[in-house]
Amino acid sequence: APDEWNFFNKPDIETFKLIVKSIYYQGQLAPALVWKQPNGRYMILGGHTRYTALKFLKETYGDDRFNTLNCHVYEENQIDTSTAQFIIITNNMTQRAKEAPSIQIKSIVHAVNLQKAIKKEHWGELEGRSIDIVAKSFGIGKGSANRFYQMRNLIHPFINLLDMGTLKQSTALKLCLLSPEIQHYIADNELFDSLKDEKLNQLRTAKTVDEAVEIITAPEKYSFGGVKLDYSVPKSFRKINLAMDEEDITAVKDSFLQALN
């Protein structure tokens, strides 16, 4: 299949060795997925590594049992290009559950767009939301699929941080709701780690970087017993409750104010 269809990383050398050993000792356990082309040849949709492993074994040992790649064949008119690409992504994702977040985001976004194209082509035949169909095809929960799809709006620096494990997914889900310009400001100034959830939620109202800066630099607002404060209350402080006769309230307030003064 074309590289732009199959954007998944090739297995590392150790994984490739394991696949070669498995085929050598046990044979090819799972069929490859191929699509018959108008010229009579077959395009591999799933099983590129198995094909490469068999080719390597044939060249190394010359054994006839490595002559053939067992395949499930899609006939020429059985599927279209959108379905073929969807098969590639689904086949890879079901076998690579621990792919990096960047690959999972890219896969789900591509798969959803392909599903929309497939549903448009077969209008009325397919039921359910595209994202739900993708989740079921990938073998993941609808919530997970929705979260990864939502993160398609993250800028590349944040996606890279996600892959490295430096950025939490919960923070990424808040950042992806901001405009690319504001995201870049936060990334360039390395603010993503210091911004609290309340600030991130407030930033959703910002339309420009200047508005975002105002929100970021504004004093923190703290709540203490229902009272809004511009400073944090020391951890050693404790709340106390007072009850008094209604007639004494004014006098008690005055006493407190005098003491504070």
Side-chain angles (χ1 to χ4, degrees):
D3 288 341
E4 59 267 25
W5 291 13
N6 187 21
F7 48 77
F8 293 87
N9 297 323
K10 291 180 173 61
D12 57 45
I13 190 65
E14 293 305 318
T15 304
F16 182 71
K17 284 179 182 177
L18 289 173
I19 293 169
V20 169
K21 285 181 181 178
S22 172
I23 293 175
Y24 181 84
Y25 288 111
Q26 301 175 61
Q28 183 190 341
L29 299 177
L33 306 176
V34 298
W35 181 23
K36 191 172 183 179
Q37 301 297 292
N39 60 5
R41 295 172 66 83
Y42 294 86
M43 179 191 289
I44 299 176
L45 304 180
H48 296 83
T49 306
R50 278 163 281 177
Y51 169 75
T52 307
L54 278 164
K55 200 172 177 185
F56 170 79
L57 287 165
K58 176 63 180 176
E59 291 170 356
T60 304
Y61 299 104
D63 194 319
D64 287 346
R65 67 194 178 104
F66 304 127
N67 279 349
T68 307
L69 178 70
N70 298 322
C71 301
H72 171 82
V73 180
Y74 292 97
E75 297 299 335
E76 182 184 341
N77 298 322
Q78 190 176 353
I79 59 174
D80 55 19
T81 54
S82 295
T83 307
Q85 291 177 63
F86 187 77
I87 289 168
I88 290 171
I89 296 172
T90 304
N91 181 66
N92 275 283
M93 285 304 294
T94 50
Q95 294 183 48
R96 308 184 190 199
K98 294 184 179 179
E99 280 287 1
S102 58
I103 294 294
Q104 296 196 53
I105 293 168
K106 188 174 183 179
S107 299
I108 287 172
V109 170
H110 272 262
V112 168
N113 291 336
L114 290 167
Q115 264 303 314
K116 288 177 180 177
I118 293 166
K119 288 178 78 173
K120 191 175 181 181
E121 185 71 24
H122 303 278
W123 191 253
E125 295 176 30
L126 300 174
E127 295 182 1
R129 297 192 312 154
S130 296
I131 188 69
D132 295 342
I133 295 170
V134 169
K136 187 176 180 180
S137 300
F138 284 13
I140 61 176
K142 292 179 183 179
S144 295
N146 274 300
R147 284 192 292 275
F148 281 117
Y149 186 69
Q150 192 175 351
M151 286 190 282
R152 71 192 184 281
N153 297 321
L154 272 183
I155 60 174
H156 285 297
F158 286 144
I159 289 178
N160 292 337
L161 291 172
L162 259 183
D163 282 351
M164 288 165 25
T166 309
L167 181 65
K168 294 179 182 176
Q169 195 178 115
S170 56
T171 304
L173 285 166
K174 288 182 170 61
L175 289 168
C176 72
L177 298 173
L178 309 178
S179 72
E181 293 78 19
I182 294 173
Q183 287 188 54
H184 276 293
Y185 175 82
I186 293 170
D188 294 343
N189 292 279
E190 299 182 351
L191 299 171
F192 63 89
D193 207 25
S194 59
L195 287 174
K196 294 182 179 177
D197 287 347
E198 188 178 351
K199 287 278 188 183
L200 286 170
N201 291 332
Q202 290 173 10
L203 282 171
R204 292 172 61 180
T205 63
K207 293 181 174 59
T208 65
V209 171
D210 288 340
E211 289 180 7
V213 172
E214 283 185 25
I215 292 170
I216 291 169
T217 55
E220 291 281 356
K221 295 291 183 182
Y222 299 91
S223 178
F224 185 71
V227 180
K228 297 288 183 181
L229 306 172
D230 287 336
Y231 55 88
S232 60
V233 176
K235 291 182 179 178
S236 60
F237 277 39
R238 295 291 178 269
K239 287 191 292 184
I240 60 169
N241 294 318
L242 290 175
M244 66 199 73
D245 192 288
E246 192 172 351
E247 294 179 357
D248 296 330
I249 291 177
T250 302
V252 171
K253 281 185 177 178
D254 289 340
S255 298
F256 271 116
L257 289 171
Q258 288 176 24
L260 289 170
N261 286 332

